[in-house]
Amino acid sequence: MVLYLVVPCYNEEEVLHETTKRLTEKLNTMIEKELVSKESRILYVDDGSRDKTWEIIEKLNAENPFVEGVKLAHNRGHQNALLAGLMTAKEYCDAAISLDADLQDDTDVIDKFVEEYNKGNDVVYGVRDSRKTDTFFKKFTAEGFYKVMKILGVDVVFNHADYRLMSKRALEALSEYKEVNLFLRGIVPLIGFKSSKVFYERHERFAGESKYPLKKMIAFATDGITSFSVKPLKLISNLGIIISFLSIIALIYALVSYLTGVAVPGWTAIIASIWLLGGIQLFCMGVVGTYVGKIYNEVKQRPRFLIETHLKK
Ligand code: UDP
Ligand code: MG
């Protein structure tokens, strides 16, 4: 089976040589063990880097029999770079594994990914065993994120990032998802097909620094939620209903104050209308939001079905 290792790179000049060395060794041992074929490749995707990343990829491509490269015209972000790589690989491979250039994701488990693929799984998720190497802040925000996603009804694999194997047909299915706001770890579970998990330890970056500062992380998390859930819009409706209900209590209170003569003239009418109108407005916004949500889902033009098997004679 032809395996492609798809590696998005943004300003990764410090890690590319070491990464290539390690991945080449890995592929060589796997070829020896006849787990993968000689046509297997490492596919680097240069995500519009500003440093020497592309020059290094070109050089590696000339020297190393496994290395291929794709260069994006602009920096389009990790998810888009990954998609570009996977869509390129899908033409040549039987399966592709996506991994980061810094090799934080343990490459020893690549064999296990392939074993799971050989058992007939179309998608194999790499799941982090623990978060020992993370700071408290990163662990807290990351795990909190997965929990919020669950509450909002988005099906994501807990503690799985983008280290995963996808078979050719899973990649073909992925190509049917036309959305622009890409959040791959939300789309892949939607594809379905038989899947399994492989557990691994995540290491520290061996060189260079993270290309995912907090700002990008927040944008990514927001994208993940708003691309997969219209629940925040429903929350507005619910808030409207609750406030309308509270307004009745406020109204009674205002009337009582009026009748007992505590209220200043005019106060009752103002208070009553603020509450009632506020509630009604929020509720109406929620209703509009519900339709906007539907339009949003339609506009994405996601495939309505993907056939897994077709029995025929
Ligand atoms: N990356 C990318 N485009 C970007 C940002 C990052 O292709 O705009 C790549 C980066 O080169 C690396 C992977 O995405 O291979 C993950 O980034 P990083 O390791 O910096 O993130 P972290 O592990 O710190 O979350
Ligand atoms: Mg990293």
Side-chain angles (χ1 to χ4, degrees):
M1 85 110 167
V2 180
L3 178 70
Y4 263 64
L5 301 173
V6 177
V7 187
C9 309
Y10 178 57
N11 296 344
E12 297 286 9
E13 59 182 11
E14 284 148 299
V15 304
L16 274 175
H17 286 289
E18 178 65 21
T19 298
T20 308
K21 200 178 125 227
R22 292 199 207 169
L23 292 181
T24 308
E25 276 166 20
K26 185 81 215 163
L27 278 182
N28 272 327
T29 51
M30 288 175 83
I31 291 169
E32 261 167 47
K33 283 197 262 173
E34 292 182 359
L35 265 173
V36 300
S37 77
K38 282 205 293 290
E39 284 74 41
S40 298
R41 295 286 178 268
I42 304 164
L43 177 64
Y44 288 121
V45 184
D46 176 20
D47 184 18
S49 302
R50 291 159 209 265
D51 63 0
K52 297 220 162 51
T53 298
W54 183 246
E55 281 88 332
I56 295 173
I57 294 173
E58 280 179 319
K59 206 167 136 251
L60 289 168
N61 169 255
E63 291 166 357
N64 184 306
F66 294 123
V67 175
E68 294 182 357
V70 167
K71 187 181 192 309
L72 301 190
H74 301 281
N75 176 236
R76 300 291 295 123
H78 174 226
Q79 298 287 296
N80 290 308
L82 201 53
L83 186 72
L86 292 173
M87 291 303 106
T88 311
K90 110 178 161 348
E91 310 298 324
Y92 313 99
C93 71
D94 293 313
I97 296 178
S98 45
L99 65 166
D100 292 352
D102 52 23
L103 298 189
Q104 280 186 287
D105 305 318
D106 190 358
T107 48
D108 289 340
V109 298
I110 291 180
D111 303 64
K112 285 202 208 146
F113 275 101
V114 175
E115 278 162 26
E116 291 298 316
Y117 167 83
N118 286 336
K119 283 185 204 154
N121 291 296
D122 281 280
V123 181
V124 187
Y125 299 102
V127 176
R128 296 180 62 167
D129 246 343
S130 67
R131 286 184 173 271
K132 270 185 285 188
T133 54
D134 278 0
T135 59
F136 170 76
F137 179 73
K138 174 93 193 204
K139 180 179 151 90
F140 181 75
T141 48
E143 292 195 338
F145 172 67
Y146 288 105
K147 282 176 192 148
V148 171
M149 292 290 274
K150 263 262 132 66
I151 294 168
L152 293 176
V154 189
D155 182 17
V156 283
V157 178
F158 192 71
N159 270 345
H160 157 69
D162 283 303
Y163 190 24
R164 77 175 86 76
L165 175 143
M166 291 178 82
S167 69
K168 190 187 184 82
R169 73 172 176 167
L171 291 170
E172 258 149 24
L174 177 65
S175 71
E176 299 287 326
Y177 287 76
K178 307 288 183 202
E179 56 210 81
V180 182
N181 295 293
L182 205 51
F183 185 72
L184 288 169
R185 61 191 85 162
I187 300 176
V188 177
L190 288 182
I191 294 176
F193 291 138
K194 202 170 161 228
S195 70
S196 69
K197 291 176 191 164
V198 158
F199 293 89
Y200 71 96
E201 289 275 343
R202 190 167 153 104
H203 308 299
E204 312 249 7
R205 214 175 219 282
F206 65 81
E209 53 192 41
S210 175
K211 273 73 192 174
Y212 253 107
L214 187 63
K215 200 172 136 218
K216 268 195 201 170
M217 238 155 63
I218 292 173
F220 183 57
T222 315
D223 231 16
I225 291 168
T226 52
S227 297
F228 283 86
S229 173
V230 287
K231 275 211 180 147
L233 292 173
K234 292 210 183 99
L235 289 180
I236 301 178
S237 297
N238 294 345
L239 196 67
I241 293 172
I242 292 168
I243 292 193
S244 299
F245 180 74
L246 287 179
S247 82
I248 297 171
I249 300 171
L251 235 147
I252 295 171
Y253 172 69
L255 275 178
V256 169
S257 309
Y258 175 69
L259 291 175
T260 51
V262 206
V264 196
W267 178 82
T268 316
I270 291 174
I271 281 300
S273 38
I274 286 177
W275 276 82
L276 199 61
L277 276 180
I280 292 172
Q281 274 173 346
L282 269 181
F283 177 66
C284 293
M285 251 169 78
V287 172
V288 175
T290 309
Y291 286 96
V292 173
K294 296 231 153 124
I295 297 169
Y296 179 55
N297 281 331
E298 290 290 344
V299 160
K300 276 203 285 247
Q301 296 206 359
R302 285 184 184 167
R304 271 151 307 168
F305 56 84
L306 293 161
I307 294 169
E308 174 157 340
T309 31
H310 176 190
L311 296 176
K312 68 173 184 11
K313 287 202 192 146

